[in-house]
Amino acid sequence: MPEREYIYRGRIINVALEGHYEIVEHKHAVAILAEQDGKLLFVRQYRPAVKSATLEIPAGLIDEGESPEQAAQRELAEEAQLGGDFEFLAAFYLSPGFCDEKLHVFRATNLFPAYAKPDDDEDITIEWLEPSEVLRAARKGEVEISASAMAGILFHLGAYVAD
């Protein structure tokens, strides 16, 4: 196996060449499927990479020394000022053809107020929406959604299979 030659090292990502492969090393992340009264909590924020405001579920990076569940609890409190009961749903790679980022998805229920200071660079709005309506709008190209939001919608609509 060829050795990785790093061409960029950053705060969140590293970029390397491994043989003829371009590899992005990215911190692992969490996403939270917050459910209440049949609706899901979405956040809308502008994303410079896609030059658009996207509809997402609360999410963020796992900090050093944090478990995925601790990160999910922190992110929900920072982005939505909520806490709740957390259940692990799944973990998966977002784009393993070039990136090693793994997303850990949690469901949050029995929500209650919980304050945490939002990140300074976050400018988000919170929206409680019917998941089937968001899926319909995404399929028609009427809204830009993230992969985590799509996964959350599909889990909510019944793709989640219990043990």
Side-chain angles (χ1 to χ4, degrees):
M1 184 150 96
E3 197 169 305
R4 285 193 180 169
E5 173 192 345
Y6 289 90
I7 56 177
Y8 173 79
R9 290 185 187 262
R11 183 175 58 86
I12 297 173
I13 68 166
N14 296 325
V15 180
L17 298 174
E18 187 173 306
H20 66 275
Y21 294 103
E22 296 170 331
I23 307 290
V24 175
E25 296 175 344
H26 189 284
K27 288 185 174 185
H28 296 302
V30 295
I32 304 94
L33 181 63
E35 301 175 331
Q36 186 169 291
D37 301 325
K39 293 186 177 182
L40 297 182
L41 175 68
F42 291 90
V43 296
R44 189 179 301 269
Q45 60 186 321
Y46 180 79
R47 295 296 195 176
V50 295
K51 298 180 180 167
S52 179
T54 58
L55 196 59
E56 306 172 16
I57 58 177
L61 301 176
I62 300 171
D63 289 342
E64 189 71 35
E66 251 183 343
S67 71
E69 185 170 346
Q70 289 169 328
Q73 292 168 345
R74 175 182 51 76
E75 286 293 340
L76 186 60
E78 287 176 2
E79 294 189 5
Q81 308 303 304
L82 292 171
D85 295 331
F86 284 75
E87 172 192 5
F88 175 74
L89 295 178
F92 49 88
Y93 291 103
L94 291 172
S95 191
F98 75 95
C99 185
D100 68 352
E101 180 182 7
K102 184 180 272 190
L103 183 68
H104 303 260
V105 182
F106 291 85
R107 174 183 284 136
T109 55
N110 301 317
L111 302 173
F112 55 82
Y115 177 78
K117 185 181 181 302
D119 290 339
D120 292 334
D121 63 347
E122 284 184 326
D123 183 19
I124 63 175
T125 57
I126 294 171
E127 302 177 32
W128 286 96
L129 301 170
E130 295 282 344
S132 59
E133 293 300 317
V134 175
L135 181 59
R136 219 174 269 116
R139 292 178 72 186
K140 291 179 178 179
E142 298 170 350
V143 64
E144 301 286 344
I145 68 171
S146 67
S148 60
M150 182 59 79
I153 290 168
L154 296 175
F155 276 124
H156 184 81
L157 293 176
Y160 174 64
V161 179
D163 291 336

